[in-house]
Structures are given as C-alpha cells and as structure tokens.
Amino acid sequence: QINPAAPVVGGPVTYRLYIENIGTATIESLTLVDTVAMVAGVQPLVNLAAGGGPAGYNQPQVVSVPGTGTRFVWTGAPVTWQGRPVMPTPRYRAGAAALNGRLYVAGGTDGAVVLNTFEMYDSASGAWMTLPVLPGGRQWLTLTAASGSLFAIGGYDGVARSEVYAFDQTTWTWTARASLPAGRYGHGAAEIGGKIYVAGGQSAGISNALLEYDPALDTWTPRASMTAARWQPGVAAVGGRLYVTGGYDAGGEVAVVE
C-alpha cells in the first residue's frame, strides 16, 4: 500500500511520489511540493497548486517511462491525522519507542509525581496494555529499541540517574544493564547497527558528550563529543548517521544541527 506524505505544516501541500524500479525491484521516493517537476520527459501527473490532475486523480495513477523500466505511482489524496485511543496514564517527559509494530511509553511525570508506569499500544488491535513497571520512576529518560529489546536509559527523579534497564518483550521482564558512566537526563538517543547512541543532556551541567552502548557486550564507550553542548535535543538516525538537532543551552534555545 502506497501513501502520500503528510502536508508540511505552515507551507504548501506536500505529497510523495513513489518510484518503483521494475528491473531492480526497488522503491524510491520523491517529495512533491505544489507542482510535480518533469522527470525523464514525463509531464507532471498533478498540478497541485491549481488543484488539477488526471481524471479521477484521487485514485492511484500509474505512468510508465518508456525504455526505463520505471513507473510512477501517484495516490493523490493528502494524509490527515487520525485519533487513536488515549493512553491509560496522562504524562509528559516520558520515553517512547517502537518495536515490532507496537509503541511503548515509559516513565515521565503527570506534573505531580515522577512515574514508573510502562504501557504499550498495539497498532494492529488499537488497544493499550499496562506492562510491568520500570524498576524506578524517572522523567527525561530515553527509551530505545535495539537487538529486539527496549532500553530505558538515565532520567531524573530529583537527581540524575545512571541506571539502564532492558525490557524483554518475550518474557515481559526488566533487567539491569551496565549503567551510564554518570547520571544523565534530558538527553537524546537513537539506534544504529544494533548499538545505541546517547547524545547531550544534563550531567553535572549541560553536556556535549556522545556515548555508545553495545547491548551484546553490555558496555559503554565514549565517542567524539559534539561541538555544541545541549539539553533536550532531538536525536534521530537516518541512513546510518546520527543527527542531533536543536536543544537548549545556558543561553536558551539553539538551532545547531550536527
């Protein structure tokens, strides 16, 4: 099933055109904004700015590029947000991660109490389930999936926590793993190649440290520090690279991306 991309907030409507290469059985994608540019001599499928397009353009359209083995599949309709069942426990500053089609949410705070609550949303059934609690309540933690398990790293419960716990989704149990070198909270984390990378956060001040955790060896290794220290950055892995975006330092919000 092929879906268009979500619209860009505050900008022109954006759709995604998927390109299926029949010869290599690979699928690539192009982002389209307003008007589709000409590709390989093929006229635009849909002029979004004018709201036009082929007859019935809200249905999938297929256009072949002669002699290339490539075809363009256009689905036409924009994506909208859809409501889902609310979490059993209202919270913020929680950790969240996806694993095997399920969304897991751990810790956080309800504004009065630091939580150890751990809940799972099953995207297939649309139901929430309460799971065994974290061994300790904490907020500003990260929850990251790696090697088939979930790892709750660091956090804050009045002091910066260094503990790391792994959740086994087959036995539904938490296990203590090697602690961080020092307590840390408000950091970001992402998985690359089976290893977890933890960037920034608070640890005796706002940190620029990057740490690598190897679940197979249960070891932490310092890696090259970021050029900018920041707290509560956005961290994600794309194409085998780690990206650290924004955050907060002693002077306020930052726009640095590394």
Side-chain angles (χ1 to χ4, degrees), residues 8 12 15 40 57 62-63 71 94 113-114 116 134 141 178 189 192 196 218 220 247-248 258:
V8 175
Y15 296 81
Y57 75 93
V62 178
V63 176
R71 63 180 183 174
V113 177
V114 175
N116 63 356
L134 280 165
L141 74 160
I192 300 176
I196 297 174
D218 194 26
W220 286 96
Y248 188 92
E258 300 185 64

Side-chain angles (χ1 to χ4, degrees), residues 206 229-231 248-254:
I206 298 175
R230 73 283 288 283
W231 179 51
Y248 188 92
D249 64 13
E253 296 83 359
V254 299

Side-chain angles (χ1 to χ4, degrees), residues 3-5 14-20 27-33 36-40 70 72-74:
N3 295 318
T14 300
Y15 296 81
R16 189 168 297 281
L17 176 71
Y18 287 83
I19 305 172
E20 177 185 356
I27 294 178
E28 302 172 20
S29 64
L30 297 175
T31 297
L32 313 175
V33 179
V36 182
M38 292 182 65
V39 180
T70 299
F72 299 87
V73 183
W74 168 249

Side-chain angles (χ1 to χ4, degrees), residues 9-248:
V9 176
V13 176
T14 300
Y15 296 81
R16 189 168 297 281
L17 176 71
Y18 287 83
I19 305 172
E20 177 185 356
N21 188 313
I22 301 171
T24 61
T26 60
I27 294 178
E28 302 172 20
S29 64
L30 297 175
T31 297
L32 313 175
V33 179
D34 286 340
T35 302
V36 182
M38 292 182 65
V39 180
V42 178
Q43 291 294 326
L45 290 170
V46 179
N47 184 330
L48 302 179
Y57 75 93
N58 282 326
Q59 301 300 317
Q61 302 291 319
V62 178
V63 176
S64 296
V65 182
T68 65
T70 299
R71 63 180 183 174
F72 299 87
V73 183
W74 168 249
T75 56
V79 169
T80 59
W81 284 97
Q82 297 179 353
R84 288 293 183 263
V86 298
M87 291 190 297
T89 307
R91 66 179 89 185
Y92 60 102
R93 298 177 187 163
L99 181 63
N100 296 333
R102 295 169 175 172
L103 172 66
Y104 296 83
V105 182
T109 178
D110 61 7
V113 177
V114 175
L115 302 171
N116 63 356
T117 310
F118 184 46
E119 294 163 346
M120 177 194 76
Y121 174 73
D122 188 321
S123 60
S125 67
W128 283 93
M129 178 180 294
T130 299
L131 300 179
V133 297
L134 280 165
R138 71 269 315 277
Q139 58 184 321
W140 280 316
L141 74 160
T142 54
L143 186 69
T144 307
S147 302
S149 295
L150 294 161
F151 294 84
I153 300 173
Y156 184 83
D157 64 353
V159 296
R161 308 304 309 188
S162 62
E163 293 89 348
V164 176
Y165 297 100
F167 181 77
D168 187 323
Q169 63 169 352
T170 60
T171 63
W172 287 19
T173 56
W174 289 100
T175 303
R177 303 300 295 267
S179 295
L180 289 159
R184 185 175 300 269
Y185 65 98
H187 49 281
E191 180 270 344
I192 300 176
K195 297 178 180 179
I196 297 174
Y197 294 85
V198 173
Q202 287 266 14
S203 183
I206 298 175
S207 175
N208 67 346
L210 177 65
L211 303 172
E212 177 191 87
Y213 176 69
D214 187 331
L217 300 177
D218 194 26
T219 56
W220 286 96
T221 303
R223 295 303 183 192
S225 296
M226 299 182 292
T227 59
R230 73 283 288 283
W231 179 51
Q232 298 189 76
V235 176
V238 180
R241 294 186 176 185
L242 187 74
Y243 290 84
V244 184
T245 62
Y248 188 92

